Amino acid sequence: MDKATGGWISGFIGVLIFSGSLPATRMAVLQFDPIFLTVARATIAGMLALALLLMMKQKRPSGRDLAALAVVAGGVVLGFPLLTALALQHVTSAHSIVFIGLLPLATAIFGVLRGGERPRPAFWIFSGLGSAAVAGFALSQGLTASPTGDLLMLAAVLVCGLGYAEGARLSRTLGGWQVISWALVLSLPVMLVVALYCRPPSFDGIAAPAWLGLGYVSLFSMLIGFVFWYRGLALGGIAAVGQLQLLQPIFGLALAAWLLGEPVSWTMLVVTLAVIACVAGARRFAR
């Protein structure tokens, strides 16, 4: 198997795992405070990552990598989880999932700025069309669903795209699972303190779905998914493999309908299919 194919396979597995993130966050945020949920998931994943690094006897990253790891931590450990948890207090996970269609474009832009990649002009046309379809969906709703929720999702996409691109760049030298593990460990002291401070007065009455949601986003969304995702971006290219994120809305909408019983409108499906058509064209001109 060549490097590019391995990258696409790893990236696809990562997307499958991430597809459950917003439905799981929605399940958890119905009973957990968004700030507590954000720091709790990072704390749990950080402890697991620390144990993994110690067991595997990994060397500490160099001083020049710490700033980049801080960017990764700010984008995918703190920024995206917190902003999406806040957004999901205002919108359904089915509505928010469509905004994930903007992630490939954001990741590609930061891949150029931080990773030195240079996709062909046609790539930007297809990526722009996909993003326009997502923006058109939000406007077609008249932003009546929740302007606050939509703006929070847009901010989440931007910080996540930066975290993806920076993590992929680091993965070329540190390795995929090492990058997310060190980013989690770097965040752990602050996250642990805030989690203890923000914890609910009592956990009595927290239903099983909320615990399952917390467990999923802590283990899969925060750690395991990134092992595959960063490896895929590093091997197959940030801009190219990043386009696989356009599959995430389809998987996420299906999960939202199945697990949460949320309505999935024809508009959402049409927009998602249009965006996926755009990624097919973007992938062709990614390099």
Side-chain angles (χ1 to χ4, degrees):
M1 182 186 301
D2 61 74
K3 186 171 71 171
T5 302
W8 280 93
I9 292 173
S10 291
F12 181 74
I13 295 172
V15 165
L16 280 177
I17 293 172
F18 290 151
S19 296
S21 297
L22 290 179
T25 299
R26 176 69 173 176
M27 291 166 60
V29 82
L30 291 175
Q31 292 194 284
F32 288 116
D33 176 79
I35 295 177
F36 173 75
L37 176 62
T38 300
V39 295
R41 66 188 277 184
T43 299
I44 295 168
M47 290 179 173
L48 293 172
L50 178 60
L52 185 61
L53 289 167
L54 291 174
M55 282 195 326
M56 301 298 290
K57 299 180 180 179
Q58 294 295 302
K59 292 194 306 181
R60 286 180 295 179
S62 63
R64 66 177 180 273
D65 291 330
L66 291 179
L69 285 170
V71 172
V72 174
V76 303
V77 177
L78 176 61
F80 185 77
L82 178 58
L83 291 167
T84 52
L86 291 171
L88 286 166
Q89 288 190 313
H90 303 278
V91 297
T92 66
S93 62
H95 181 88
S96 65
I97 282 167
V98 181
F99 283 83
I100 301 301
L102 292 169
L103 256 179
L105 180 59
T107 303
I109 290 172
F110 287 115
V112 170
L113 296 175
R114 300 295 302 153
E117 297 191 355
R118 295 292 182 269
R120 285 182 276 176
F123 167 87
W124 299 109
I125 294 174
F126 283 106
S127 291
L129 287 173
S131 299
V134 174
F137 166 77
L139 292 174
S140 73
Q141 306 298 300
L143 296 181
T144 55
S146 172
T148 300
D150 288 345
L151 288 173
L152 285 168
M153 281 304 303
L154 287 173
V157 164
L158 287 176
V159 299
C160 190
L162 175 59
Y164 281 172
E166 195 70 12
R169 187 181 66 83
L170 272 179
S171 294
R172 296 167 183 165
T173 54
L174 289 183
W177 73 268
Q178 291 92 335
V179 167
I180 189 58
S181 295
W182 283 118
L184 286 164
V185 169
L186 188 66
S187 310
L188 183 57
V190 173
M191 295 297 175
L192 177 58
V193 170
V194 179
L196 292 173
Y197 179 78
C198 295
R199 72 186 187 278
S202 172
F203 291 100
D204 294 338
I206 303 294
W211 286 113
L212 289 173
L214 174 59
Y216 187 92
V217 296
S218 301
L219 181 60
F220 291 95
S221 304
M222 199 85 267
L223 182 59
I224 296 176
F226 279 103
V227 173
F228 291 99
W229 184 239
Y230 278 148
R231 182 176 184 272
L233 291 176
L235 291 177
I238 299 171
V241 174
Q243 300 305 301
L244 282 170
Q245 292 166 106
L246 271 302
L247 296 173
Q248 192 168 326
I250 285 286
F251 300 140
L253 288 172
L255 286 170
W258 177 44
L259 296 175
L260 304 177
E262 293 183 354
V264 178
S265 68
W266 283 107
T267 306
M268 292 179 184
L269 291 174
V270 169
V271 169
T272 302
L273 291 173
V275 170
I276 288 175
C278 291
V279 76
R283 181 193 170 194
R284 182 178 179 184
F285 299 101
R287 294 192 176 195

